[in-house]
Amino acid sequence: MIKGTTKLLGVIGHPVEHSLSPAMHNAAISQLGVDFVYLPFPVKPGDLKAALAGFAAIGVRGFSITIPHKQAILPLLSEVSPIARAIGAVNTVYLTDKGWCGTNTDVEGFLAPLQTPPTPPYQGGAKDATSGLESGNMAVKSGPPPYQGGARGGSDWSQKVAVILGNGGAARAVVAGCAQLGCAEIHVVGRNEQNLAEFQQSWVNSPMPMQNLPVHTWDNLSRLISQADLLVNTTPVGMYPQGEKSPVAPDVIDQISAGAIVYDLIYTPNPTQFLKDAKIRGARAIDGLEMLVQQGAAALKIWLDKESVPVDVMRQALRQHLGLD
C-alpha cells in the first residue's frame, strides 16, 4: 500500500512502458515488507538533467536506467564506479551525501548463471566476485567458485575460451565478466571492422585494461566457435518479434562442441532459436532471464542496503509476466 511515507525507486528510459523491472522489483519489495515502491518514469533525452534535479527534490532513493540514457547520464553523476566507467554505461543510480552515484550491475547479472549457486533460494552468487571489479582490480577473485561442469576443460576458467557475438554496450559487460572469470582467451566478433577496432582500443586505457582482446569479423566465426567453451550472443538478432532468427547459421553452430556453454542475453522468446540450435548439438544453454533478474537483485541490494533480497520471488514474477509458467 502506497502511503505518504513510501519511498520512491524507479526506472527511467524512453520509451519505458515495456520495462519488466517494475514487476520484479515490486514483487521483491512486497515480499520484504519495506515501505518502497518502484515506478516507471518516461524521460526524454533532452529532459535527463531536469529529471535528476526533480528526483533529488522529491526524494527518489535510486533508479535503474535503460535506453537511451545509459551513456548520457555519465557526466551528470557525482561519482561513477570503475566497472561502470570500464563498460562505458551506467544501469543503476543511487543517492549518497555526494549526490547521484552510478554503477553497473550487468556484470554481476551476467556472471550469476556461470557460477556455482549457494543453497536455494539463489541469492546472487556473483556478488563477491564483482566486488573486485568495483574496486578496479581485475585480478581479485573472491566469492564462490566458478561453474563446475558443462564446459570443456573442467572447472578452471583459465583454460577456457570465450567467444562474444557483438561489440555494443552489452558486449562490454560480457567482456568484463569473462575477464573476471579469468578466461584464457576472449574473442569479440562483429560485422564492422572500424567499430571492432574502436571497441578493442577503448579497453587499452580503460579502468580495467585488457592486455589481449582479439577482435574478428563474422567470416571467422566458424573457426572460433569450434574453439569456444563459452559462446555469448549480445546482439538483438532473434529477439521478439523476430524469434525465428538466429545470429549464427545452422552450419556454423554445427561447429560448437558438446558440453560448451551457449549463452543468449535475449530473454524473449524463451528459448531463442540460437539456444534451441545449440541444445540440439549438445551445448548447455543459458537464456537472458537470469541475467535480468540478477542485475536487478544487485541494484535492489544497493538501494535497500540489504545483504540479500528474494531473488526467487523476482524470478517467479518475471516468469509469470512473460507467460513462462
Side-chain angles (χ1 to χ4, degrees):
M1 178 176 164
I2 297 174
K3 301 175 289 186
T5 57
T6 301
K7 303 172 189 68
L8 297 178
L9 300 170
V11 55
I12 65 170
H14 186 73
V16 78
E17 293 82 4
H18 67 285
S19 176
L20 301 180
S21 295
M24 68 173 178
H25 283 299
N26 285 318
I29 286 168
S30 177
Q31 177 73 18
L32 289 167
V34 293
D35 192 14
F36 280 79
V37 66
Y38 186 101
L39 302 170
F41 296 107
V43 176
K44 296 177 182 178
D47 295 336
L48 183 57
K49 187 174 182 179
L52 287 184
F55 283 174
I58 64 174
V60 172
R61 296 298 182 93
F63 54 92
S64 311
I65 308 171
T66 188
I67 295 171
H69 303 308
K70 286 189 172 187
Q71 292 81 35
I73 201 168
L74 283 164
L76 303 178
L77 299 172
S78 300
E79 188 174 289
V80 178
S81 69
I83 185 62
R85 289 208 179 277
I87 295 172
V90 165
N91 79 336
T92 301
V93 173
Y94 52 98
L95 192 61
T96 71
D97 293 339
K98 299 177 182 178
W100 292 115
C101 299
T103 188
N104 195 304
T105 63
D106 283 336
V107 173
E108 181 168 342
F110 168 73
L111 286 173
L114 297 173
Q115 296 180 300
T116 304
T119 303
Y122 189 20
Q123 296 295 338
K127 182 175 187 293
D128 292 336
T130 308
S131 65
L133 290 165
E134 288 289 358
S135 67
N137 181 2
M138 292 296 282
V140 174
K141 284 191 180 181
S142 59
Y147 173 61
Q148 297 295 323
R152 294 177 297 154
S155 61
D156 185 0
W157 282 97
S158 68
Q159 303 301 312
K160 292 182 170 63
V161 175
V163 176
I164 301 165
L165 307 180
N167 54 279
R172 298 189 66 84
V174 173
V175 166
C178 289
Q180 176 64 26
L181 286 174
C183 293
E185 299 176 31
I186 304 171
H187 299 268
V188 176
V189 183
R191 299 194 182 278
N192 184 289
E193 289 188 17
Q194 181 177 343
N195 290 346
L196 281 167
E198 291 173 358
F199 182 91
Q200 185 182 47
Q201 183 62 33
S202 71
W203 288 92
V204 173
N205 296 316
S206 164
M208 293 148 205
M210 300 289 296
Q211 300 302 318
N212 183 31
L213 184 65
V215 296
H216 312 265
T217 52
W218 219 259
D219 52 359
N220 292 303
L221 187 54
S222 182
R223 173 181 60 83
L224 290 168
I225 284 182
S226 67
Q227 304 171 22
D229 298 291
L230 173 63
L231 175 65
V232 186
N233 176 42
T234 73
T235 79
V237 179
M239 184 183 294
Y240 177 84
Q242 296 181 319
E244 77 286 352
K245 293 187 176 181
S246 170
V248 182
D251 62 321
V252 178
I253 199 68
D254 278 341
Q255 306 303 314
I256 196 73
S257 297
I261 300 172
V262 178
Y263 196 146
D264 199 336
L265 301 194
I266 296 171
Y267 52 83
T268 180
N270 190 303
T272 59
Q273 187 62 48
F274 174 59
L275 292 184
K276 289 178 184 177
D277 292 345
K279 287 180 72 174
I280 290 171
R281 291 156 177 82
R284 174 179 180 240
I286 300 174
D287 63 64
L289 187 65
E290 192 65 14
M291 178 174 174
L292 177 65
V293 170
Q294 294 293 340
Q295 64 80 27
L300 196 58
K301 290 175 190 175
I302 293 170
W303 297 324
L304 301 183
D305 192 24
K306 288 186 175 291
E307 284 296 316
S308 66
V309 294
V311 180
D312 54 330
V313 171
M314 298 173 77
R315 184 186 301 110
Q316 186 62 27
L318 281 187
R319 291 188 63 83
Q320 289 180 349
H321 189 82
L322 293 169
L324 298 176
D325 288 331

